[in-house]
Amino acid sequence: MEKKMEKTNRNEIIEIDLIRLIKALWSKLWVLILAAVLCGAGAFAFAFSSGAASTMGARLLEGAGLAITIPCMVILANEFPAGTYARVSSIFLCCGGLGSILAAKPLAAAASAAGWRGALLFCSALLVAALVLTWIFVKDPEKGVSAKQTESRG
């Protein structure tokens, strides 16, 4: 009986590289779309949240969508040579910070005009528009061809 308990109580640790999993399951376009959907759903849910649990759930969705920054950095690392990667990733992160700064005043104005819930609903609508534009205009690069390969050839 003791031997049987030993088998059932044994913990096995399974490690999953989420970035590899995402890259294996979806194309780069799908990762962007999934992130936008999570952020949009989180903002929409946050606008209608009424208690602590629903607010935390909405923020969790938003955070999961914003976590796309990490896979994007890996995509950039895979697409650009080492000499270019530092510059490209710096521009990528700088644009995100600059966007936050530039969005503060219009978001404050929207919150004054329509309340914070209305402002979040408006942001959700903008995110849906960006999602549709991404779906239409962003295409995955051909398999096997990256900027690293193109730059090393030319």
Side-chain angles (χ1 to χ4, degrees), residues 6-129:
E6 212 174 321
K7 282 185 179 179
T8 58
N9 288 334
R10 196 172 107 193
N11 290 330
E12 292 186 26
I13 298 172
I14 299 173
E15 290 184 18
I16 299 173
D17 184 354
L18 291 178
I19 294 172
R20 275 192 178 177
L21 179 65
I22 289 171
K23 286 178 78 172
L25 295 178
W26 289 298
S27 66
K28 295 168 188 141
L29 177 62
W30 280 107
V31 172
L32 293 173
I33 289 172
L34 175 65
V37 166
L38 289 172
C39 282
F44 187 79
F46 191 77
F48 289 105
S49 62
S50 58
S54 60
T55 301
M56 286 189 291
R59 293 295 293 164
L60 179 70
L61 279 175
E62 288 178 333
L66 293 172
I68 189 65
T69 303
I70 303 304
C72 282
M73 297 304 279
V74 172
I75 290 169
L76 290 175
N78 290 332
E79 291 294 321
F80 292 95
T84 309
Y85 171 73
R87 183 174 43 246
V88 171
S89 62
S90 296
I91 292 169
F92 176 77
L93 292 173
C94 182
C95 287
L98 186 60
S100 295
I101 292 168
L102 294 176
K105 184 98 171 159
L107 185 59
S112 297
W116 68 270
R117 291 180 193 267
L120 279 174
L121 286 173
F122 179 71
C123 288
S124 296
L126 286 177
L127 194 54
V128 168

